[in-house]
Amino acid sequence: MEVAAAMFSSIGQYPVRLDDKFRFALPSAIRHNFETGAVLIARQGYVALHTAGQWEEFVLNLRAKLVEGTLSRMHFNAILAGAAPISLDAQGRTVLPPALRAHLNCDRDLVLTGLHDFFGINVPSNQPDGDPSVKEAALAILEESAM
């Protein structure tokens, strides 16, 4: 049951804005998922926002790749070194750390996008559905699958 709740919470798009202290507020619709903590980590082209539970699952999967030999210790360590644990203040805000702001090359405006099992944080111009041809192709795939 907990997995289903996490899946449904990681959908939708939410525009957010960094304030002068580089904080952003999580939208109230999803904020409750992050009350026990969260982790930010750089990914290719965006920053992932994981709940505490999602992060544990991510690390377990990563560790399995290390054990099976498909991920080196050096890469395992580099991935985890880029992670930043975060917490929310009373207004549901958290800071986007300097290294992750640099990774996004962002100004103030960001978009949180549900990516099924976590949220992606990106600049508005780099959203996956920003290209109309991608969105049309995705809708066509959805129609073809009769879902």
Side-chain angles (χ1 to χ4, degrees):
M1 189 67 130
E2 186 177 343
V3 173
M7 280 187 355
F8 287 112
S9 68
S10 298
I11 60 174
Q13 285 191 333
Y14 306 89
V16 297
R17 185 165 177 80
L18 295 176
D19 67 14
D20 292 338
K21 296 179 181 178
F22 302 107
R23 297 174 301 189
F24 65 95
L26 289 178
S28 60
I30 63 170
R31 191 175 298 160
H32 66 279
N33 294 302
F34 300 94
E35 289 173 349
T36 59
V39 177
L40 295 170
I41 187 167
R43 301 286 292 260
Q44 271 189 313
Y46 65 96
V47 170
L49 170 63
H50 293 273
T51 64
Q54 291 165 340
W55 178 250
E56 285 179 33
E57 185 175 332
F58 174 81
V59 172
L60 286 173
N61 291 333
L62 201 60
R63 187 154 194 51
K65 292 182 181 301
L66 176 66
V67 170
E68 69 190 23
T70 58
L71 181 67
S72 73
R73 171 59 75 176
M74 179 179 66
H75 290 127
F76 178 84
N77 291 346
I79 291 167
L80 294 182
I86 60 166
S87 59
L88 303 180
D89 67 12
Q91 287 78 39
R93 297 174 300 193
T94 191
V95 173
L96 185 62
L100 296 176
R101 287 197 310 272
H103 176 71
L104 290 175
N105 192 26
C106 66
D107 188 18
R108 298 278 184 196
D109 294 318
L110 300 170
V111 178
L112 272 65
T113 302
L115 300 174
H116 179 63
D117 54 349
F118 61 92
F119 280 91
I121 302 173
N122 215 331
V123 293
S125 62
N126 200 22
Q127 282 301 104
D129 67 348
D131 181 346
S133 65
V134 171
K135 190 169 189 172
E136 285 303 313
L139 292 174
I141 291 167
L142 182 62
E143 289 300 317
E144 289 171 12
S145 67
M147 295 176 72

